[in-house]
Amino acid sequence: MLAALLYGQEDLRLEQVAEPTPTSGEVVIKVGVATTCGTDLKVWLRGGHAKMLQLPTLFGHEAAGEIVAVGTGVRDWQVGDRIVANNSAPCMKCFFCQRQEYSLCPNITWNNGTFAEYLKIPAAIVQHNMLRVPDGLPLSLASMTEPLACVLHGVARSHVQPHDRVVVLGDGAIGLMFVAVLAQTSQVILWGGNDHRLKIGQQLGATHTFNYHHIPDIPGVVKEITQGWGADVVIEATGVPSVWETAITCARPGATVNLFGGCPRDTSITVDTEKLHYSELTLKGVFHNTPEYVRAALSLIASGKIPFELLISQERSLQDLEQVFYQMKAREVIKVAMIPGLP
């Protein structure tokens, strides 16, 4: 089969590899759609990821498709079922899993390789994090279950209250998903660097949008909007250390700052200890998702309440994958639906 392999920094190759076959507890799907993600872009640019993969590796982690083979011992699934599988599953047995802190599980089963014609789903994911795609739901939307699950996890950990004023820093797919979810109950102030994406942020419910290229004083503007106090909650969704620091300066006394975007390995930030202490700030790192939010994400997508299709810029063939990543690097697209069957 044709599959994408990542060998290093901006070194992505399409190769012919053996088609996967399922062992006990596993299934194999024919990939219908694999969506690109900002995490994929970061991994491609940086040539690796601290948690999820080791090079060289099959690449990509968001996909939906149809089961074509079932391993021994698999129950309740059969060939022809349309499914979406999370890219991970916790072990359910360790110290953290026993405390329902599933994203901290040190024994997480990771799965990469969605940019391919076929994808094997490990047994732990089949058991805990593989879901049926509802009839009528396009696979391109179902494929976005994983990133939305991460966002729902991030929202829950941020303890947002109704009518809170929330700043979102970052207009990538994750930042825009945060806007879409938070705008259901809160006033959302979105900052980004791309006018087209900021317009989509408005369509998803942002009450204010600002381009930091034109208005660089982010904390000053936030304080103007919030009667001089700052935001109740700040979501950082870029993975840039300097933006982590900016996020903290946008917060009011008593606020929660969710440092959601993963920064490069071995980076650090500087925190004003006086502001942190006397303003009683909560700085919180939030990573990945849990089975609860995987299910909630697919349910939210299937409800049609939020037009997540706005995040899909194009549909492209698998052969165009490298070009798509250069388009993502240039911020010309948000998410792209890679369809192996396209010529």
Side-chain angles (χ1 to χ4, degrees):
M1 69 172 182
L2 186 66
L5 282 85
L6 184 69
Y7 280 85
Q9 192 172 13
E10 296 190 28
D11 186 0
L12 185 63
R13 310 175 196 177
L14 287 177
E15 299 180 358
Q16 290 290 332
V17 302
E19 292 183 10
T21 55
T23 59
S24 177
E26 299 177 334
V27 304
V28 171
I29 68 167
K30 181 177 182 180
V31 177
V33 176
T35 41
T36 63
C37 177
T39 297
D40 295 329
L41 177 64
K42 289 194 297 185
V43 171
W44 177 73
L45 289 170
R46 298 172 185 174
H49 188 280
K51 287 275 189 181
M52 293 193 299
L53 48 81
Q54 293 182 337
L55 303 179
T57 181
L58 293 166
F59 194 45
H61 69 280
E62 299 177 13
E66 182 177 303
I67 295 176
V68 293
V70 176
T72 58
V74 173
R75 298 179 179 178
D76 302 322
W77 299 102
Q78 58 188 5
V79 170
D81 286 344
R82 295 200 319 152
I83 67 93
V84 60
N86 199 48
N87 69 325
S88 73
C91 73
M92 297 295 183
K93 299 175 182 178
C94 70
F95 173 90
F96 296 101
C97 288
Q98 291 301 304
R99 288 154 181 78
Q100 299 184 356
E101 296 174 335
Y102 300 113
S103 57
L104 299 178
C105 173
N107 309 312
I108 285 179
T109 297
W110 295 104
N111 197 34
N112 292 284
T114 59
F115 297 131
E117 294 179 280
Y118 297 94
L119 175 69
K120 182 166 69 174
I121 311 299
I125 297 177
V126 172
Q127 183 177 1
H128 300 298
N129 263 343
M130 189 171 81
L131 307 176
R132 282 182 173 80
V133 176
D135 293 341
L137 182 65
L139 292 179
S140 57
L141 291 180
S143 182
M144 292 192 282
T145 297
E146 188 274 338
L148 182 58
C150 296
V151 166
L152 294 180
H153 180 212
V155 169
R157 294 292 303 278
S158 301
H159 302 297
V160 181
Q161 301 300 312
H163 311 298
D164 270 356
R165 292 174 293 195
V166 183
V167 165
V168 174
L169 301 177
D171 58 4
I174 290 293
L176 292 172
M177 283 185 171
F178 267 111
V179 170
V181 174
L182 291 166
Q184 306 300 302
T185 59
S186 305
Q187 175 183 334
V188 182
I189 304 163
L190 172 64
W191 288 84
N194 182 288
D195 287 338
H196 172 67
R197 296 183 183 205
L198 291 171
K199 288 180 181 177
I200 291 177
Q202 292 175 349
Q203 291 176 270
L204 292 172
T207 52
H208 299 81
T209 59
F210 298 99
N211 188 321
Y212 65 85
H213 292 301
H214 307 316
I215 307 174
D217 184 13
I218 297 175
V221 172
V222 170
K223 288 180 180 178
E224 286 182 14
I225 295 173
T226 58
Q227 293 77 51
W229 289 115
D232 302 298
V233 176
V234 183
I235 309 288
E236 194 290 329
T238 71
V240 177
S242 62
V243 184
W244 278 33
E245 294 180 354
T246 298
I248 297 169
T249 65
C250 291
R252 69 160 173 82
T256 295
V257 181
N258 182 340
L259 302 170
F260 190 86
C263 294
R265 187 192 296 267
D266 298 324
T267 54
S268 60
I269 65 169
T270 300
V271 178
D272 182 336
T273 56
E274 182 178 355
K275 179 177 177 63
L276 176 63
H277 179 74
Y278 290 103
S279 293
E280 296 190 10
L281 297 182
T282 298
L283 307 186
K284 183 170 292 190
V286 181
F287 171 65
H288 200 44
N289 59 46
T290 73
E292 172 189 359
Y293 295 115
V294 174
R295 284 152 180 77
L298 181 59
S299 177
L300 179 57
I301 292 170
S303 74
K305 293 178 180 178
I306 297 174
F308 288 112
E309 62 272 11
L310 293 173
L311 303 180
I312 298 178
S313 302
Q314 299 175 357
E315 292 184 350
R316 300 288 291 274
S317 165
L318 192 58
Q319 286 84 348
D320 299 331
L321 184 62
E322 185 176 37
Q323 181 185 356
V324 165
F325 272 93
Y326 281 107
Q327 286 184 284
M328 293 176 69
K329 181 180 179 180
R331 297 177 62 80
E332 295 172 359
V333 294
I334 303 174
K335 295 182 80 72
V336 176
M338 306 305 301
I339 302 178
L342 283 181

